[in-house]
Amino acid sequence: VAAAAGFRVQITANGADGARAVDTSDAAFTISPPAVGVSLARDVQPIFTARCTTQFCHGAASQVALLNLAAGAAHGALVDVASQATACATQKRVRPGLPDQSYLMWKLAGAGPCLAGVRMPKGAAPLAAAEVNLIRGWIAEGARAN
């Protein structure tokens, strides 16, 4: 369905002996379109752009830790790319489908198995829980370039 709508269901049972029974649901129920999911371009990139690509951080001009989170570059710089932190060199910045094993999530939380440095964004307020949840959802859904 294109939009949520109310429906009733009618069931017809035909017996082997030719008997027939019909029943209709007592009330309408709602069928909704499938969830859209989290989009890198629509949901996550605006967070990166507002909070991570400032003048001296992870923009196109200043790629701290060789990390460019600018629009069009973020996916290639994050997904299945090894962390630049020496202590975490075997870890991926983003492991599709595995947010709890993604170095990006550790940096946003300021804690993790081999965290190097400080919580991100550095020197600024932490991301809001809703922003972190969007990034987590994007990773959990496969970190697609969508």
Side-chain angles (χ1 to χ4, degrees):
V1 296
F7 293 90
R8 287 182 175 240
V9 175
Q10 183 176 40
I11 306 289
T12 302
N14 296 311
D17 62 357
R20 181 177 174 175
V22 177
D23 189 26
T24 302
S25 59
D26 295 331
F29 60 95
T30 302
I31 296 178
S32 299
V36 174
V38 182
S39 163
L40 173 62
R42 181 191 66 231
D43 303 312
V44 177
Q45 187 61 55
I47 299 167
F48 291 159
T49 299
R51 301 294 306 277
C52 307
T53 62
T54 59
Q55 183 179 0
F56 300 107
C57 294
H58 302 291
S62 60
Q63 299 170 22
V64 174
L66 302 175
L67 178 56
N68 182 356
L69 294 179
H75 187 269
L78 287 171
V79 178
D80 285 324
V81 175
S83 164
Q84 292 294 306
T86 304
C88 297
T90 61
Q91 300 299 318
K92 302 291 185 189
R93 288 175 170 164
V94 168
R95 293 189 66 195
L98 301 169
D100 292 330
Q101 295 177 29
S102 295
Y103 189 71
L104 175 63
M105 296 306 300
W106 303 342
K107 288 298 279 187
L108 294 176
C114 65
L115 183 69
V118 298
R119 177 199 45 80
M120 291 293 137
K122 184 177 181 179
L127 296 184
E131 293 171 315
V132 172
N133 286 335
L134 279 172
I135 296 169
R136 173 178 289 284
W138 172 69
I139 296 170
E141 291 176 8
R144 296 168 294 162
N146 57 351

